[in-house]
Amino acid sequence: MHKRLVTRYAMKSAEAADENQRRVEGVFTELEETKPDTVSYIVLRLADDSFVHVSFHNHTDDEVNPIASTAAFAHFQDGHGDRREGGVDQQTATLVGAYITTLA
């Protein structure tokens, strides 16, 4: 994998988190339709209604990002600052290990 990103942010309310979740689900729907093979993507909603996005990118910086280039991601970003409490913490990460049997 070329790049691994971890992004975390808080939401202003449970209602804002619900709307955020609906928009994230739209991104996954579009990814399921287009089936890009250069990215893996996981989003977690935590108990405090904050979100953590983990993405694994196997494309170069000058190639199209299969997540950010979707119409659903543009919709997700629209008004994101209004739903969010505070800023976005995004960092690159090093994969230490992974064991995944089922995503549910």
Side-chain angles (χ1 to χ4, degrees), residues 54-101:
V54 180
S55 56
F56 298 81
H57 301 265
N58 197 19
H59 55 86
T60 62
D61 290 337
D62 61 340
E63 293 178 304
V64 172
N65 179 331
I67 299 168
S69 65
T70 64
F73 192 79
H75 179 65
F76 159 74
Q77 286 189 312
D78 184 38
H80 191 257
D82 296 331
R83 295 187 304 276
R84 196 178 64 237
E85 182 70 38
V88 173
D89 176 27
Q90 184 175 71
Q91 299 183 41
T92 58
T94 301
L95 181 64
V96 176
Y99 178 81
I100 300 172
T101 57

Side-chain angles (χ1 to χ4, degrees), residues 1-88:
M1 287 289 146
H2 178 69
K3 185 188 298 183
R4 295 162 194 90
L5 295 174
V6 178
T7 306
R8 182 171 183 188
Y9 53 88
M11 304 308 295
K12 288 185 176 180
S13 66
E15 294 78 18
D18 290 343
E19 177 61 22
N20 199 70
Q21 180 173 331
R22 281 190 289 278
R23 292 181 186 218
V24 168
E25 289 167 347
V27 174
F28 281 106
T29 297
E30 190 166 340
L31 291 173
E32 280 296 319
E33 293 168 359
T34 59
K35 299 193 183 320
D37 61 359
T38 60
V39 69
S40 295
Y41 189 38
I42 299 168
V43 178
L44 303 170
R45 180 176 176 174
L46 305 183
D48 66 357
D49 288 325
S50 64
F51 286 81
V52 176
H53 298 236
V54 180
S55 56
F56 298 81
H57 301 265
N58 197 19
H59 55 86
T60 62
D61 290 337
D62 61 340
E63 293 178 304
V64 172
N65 179 331
I67 299 168
S69 65
T70 64
F73 192 79
H75 179 65
F76 159 74
Q77 286 189 312
D78 184 38
H80 191 257
D82 296 331
R83 295 187 304 276
R84 196 178 64 237
E85 182 70 38
V88 173

